[in-house]
Amino acid sequence: MTKQKPILFFDEGNVEKTDVFRVLSLKETCSDYEPIVGFFTELNQHFDFADGSGNEVNILFSVDEIDYIFIHHSFNMPYSIPSNCFDLLREQLGEKLVVFSGETANDLKVNRLKRDDTYKNFNFF
């Protein structure tokens, strides 16, 4: 088993003009951080959302090896993650979970960020 990178970043959204995954452009601009950050367009290698109801989420990695996990709130897997899954993830991951969305305001007390701010400032994180 390979060692998990301490920061995981998940976003499946495309840049509308180019139809390229946003996270791939972020990965490119943050290439210096490749040893510590994993950028992903899918969740299924890291999470099992069981029946999709939002009543169960299985984490498929050692939480102790992770410092932070960034997940786009409106992630489609191919269906949207039920909101109660984020409640379960927050219970399991605590302050390690950072949720970002275009529809939210920045609130560092609950680790919620605007998507644009997350992308613009991620390399400062």
Side-chain angles (χ1 to χ4, degrees):
M1 180 181 219
T2 58
K3 184 160 173 53
Q4 187 66 54
K5 294 184 179 184
I7 300 173
L8 305 177
F9 192 100
F10 299 92
D11 190 1
E12 87 305 353
N14 290 337
V15 175
E16 290 78 17
K17 294 178 184 176
T18 63
D19 204 34
V20 173
F21 287 111
R22 290 173 200 246
V23 72
L24 297 180
S25 62
L26 182 62
K27 180 179 181 179
E28 198 173 285
T29 61
C30 294
S31 61
D32 291 346
Y33 305 108
E34 180 69 25
I36 62 168
V37 182
F39 295 97
F40 304 94
T41 58
E42 296 181 6
L43 295 168
N44 60 353
Q45 297 290 319
H46 294 85
F47 303 95
D48 176 9
F49 290 91
D51 63 1
S53 69
N55 296 319
E56 183 179 355
V57 177
N58 298 309
I59 296 176
L60 306 177
F61 56 87
S62 173
V63 174
D64 294 336
E65 293 181 18
I66 302 299
D67 293 329
Y68 291 99
I69 299 167
F70 291 78
I71 301 178
H72 177 224
H73 188 270
S74 299
F75 205 104
N76 291 312
M77 5 173 260
Y79 50 88
S80 293
I81 301 172
S83 288
N84 51 331
C85 279
F86 284 100
D87 295 337
L88 293 172
L89 286 172
R90 191 156 312 282
E91 284 176 20
Q92 296 177 42
L93 300 170
E95 293 182 0
K96 294 180 179 192
L97 178 64
V98 179
V99 177
F100 60 94
S101 173
E103 304 299 319
T104 192
N106 292 329
D107 187 346
L108 295 176
K109 290 180 183 177
V110 292
N111 286 356
R112 269 194 227 130
L113 300 172
K114 273 188 90 62
R115 184 187 220 169
D116 289 345
D117 290 342
T118 302
Y119 272 81
K120 286 178 193 170
N121 299 300
F122 186 75
N123 60 339
F124 296 115
F125 179 76

